[in-house]
Amino acid sequence: MPLSSVRSAVERLLLPAECLLCHALLTDSDSIVCPVCRHRWRAVRPPWCERCGQPEPSFGPCRLCAAWPTALKAARSAVWLDDGARPAVHALKYGGLPRIADDLAAGMNTSRPPADGPAVLIPIPLATGRLRERGYNQSEALARALARRWRIPVTVDLLARTRETPTQTALTPGTRLANVAGAFDVRHAACDMPHVTIVLVDDVFTTGATLAEAARALEQAGAMRIYGVTFARAAIPDFT
Ligand SMILES: [Zn+2]
Ligand SMILES: [Zn+2]
């Protein structure tokens, strides 16, 4: 039994049947978030930029994805990172309870990218130090939950993070790109890169800089069709 399954089984035994977020009693034992909390997640809806999925404040070329590598075809996020979704993202990231990933994955069905032919899910990796500190990669937990629903395998040994980047919340879109430049490395081309659809998985999309940089590394290793999916999308205050 993989360690993650053991952990999830232990959590099931230890946790009372109450919502992880609001502590209301749960009737559906498959879920760790109650329907009321899930109802507070606000879906990201079109009209949006067809490529990056950002709702467009004006017409004309999209500033957010203009510099993306060609192989990165599209990115979608399920919900807005606001007061409704923030506790769930926080629990995934810092709560030490990766089982909430199943609930987040359930909310991501409409973000599933078109995939004909072979596909793999690749979680955005953490640098080794950060991984040791947290004990798990929240994006990997999310990718594994999506893998069960979408029946697409997860690959974690292909993409590596060479360094952890400073927290991005205070940076502008331009400085974020510089911030993550060269942060990823493709260890070895374990799959037939040009013919596999790669779906990058992350918890939050802010400016897309992290996805774009990971896609750039994969593109340099031969990947030609890359999509990005995230559970949440942060509104960019100064982006118009
Ligand atoms: Zn709740
Ligand atoms: Zn765009």
Side-chain angles (χ1 to χ4, degrees):
M1 203 191 229
L3 191 60
S4 58
S5 313
V6 174
R7 172 153 42 192
S8 140
V10 170
E11 278 172 18
R12 234 174 271 254
L13 287 174
L14 295 180
L15 286 174
E18 59 175 42
C19 172
L20 177 69
L21 304 178
C22 73
H23 306 292
L25 286 180
L26 290 171
T27 45
D28 170 12
S29 62
D30 286 341
S31 193
I32 200 171
V33 177
C34 78
V36 175
C37 286
R38 260 178 288 162
H39 194 70
R40 296 182 65 215
W41 299 347
R42 202 162 50 88
V44 180
R45 291 186 203 285
W48 50 33
C49 168
E50 280 303 321
R51 193 178 186 203
C52 65
Q54 188 76 3
E56 288 171 286
S58 57
F59 292 98
C62 177
R63 281 205 299 137
L64 200 58
C65 60
W68 281 10
T70 315
L72 183 53
K73 302 301 179 194
R76 292 292 181 268
S77 311
V79 305
W80 286 109
L81 184 65
D82 56 13
D83 290 345
R86 204 169 281 115
V89 172
H90 195 269
L92 176 71
K93 214 167 191 159
Y94 304 107
L97 288 167
R99 194 157 74 85
I100 196 177
D102 291 330
D103 285 72
L104 304 199
M108 291 173 70
N109 266 340
T110 54
S111 306
R112 183 179 181 159
D116 34 309
V120 291
L121 297 170
I122 298 187
I124 293 293
L126 294 177
T128 318
R130 183 74 57 89
L131 182 62
R132 201 176 301 129
E133 199 176 285
R134 189 171 292 161
Y136 65 93
N137 175 358
Q138 76 279 3
S139 301
E140 183 181 338
L142 197 54
R144 295 208 180 277
L146 288 172
R148 287 189 289 274
R149 291 178 174 271
W150 295 353
R151 303 192 178 281
I152 300 175
V154 177
T155 301
V156 293
D157 54 359
L158 189 61
L159 186 67
R161 193 158 194 148
T162 49
R163 61 186 171 83
E164 205 50 68
T165 45
T167 179
Q168 301 219 336
T169 38
L171 303 176
T172 63
T175 51
R176 277 168 193 264
L177 266 178
N179 191 32
V180 292
F184 297 98
D185 199 15
V186 175
R187 286 287 157 80
H188 55 96
C191 57
D192 183 8
M193 297 290 270
H195 300 107
V196 171
T197 298
I198 291 175
V199 183
L200 289 168
V201 179
D202 208 356
D203 51 349
V204 176
F205 179 110
T206 305
T207 62
T210 305
L211 276 183
E213 195 53 34
R216 204 179 313 278
L218 289 162
E219 185 183 66
Q220 277 161 11
M224 292 176 77
R225 266 167 67 86
I226 305 170
Y227 291 89
V229 292
T230 71
F231 172 68
R233 182 166 300 224
I236 311 171
D238 55 350
F239 190 78
T240 49

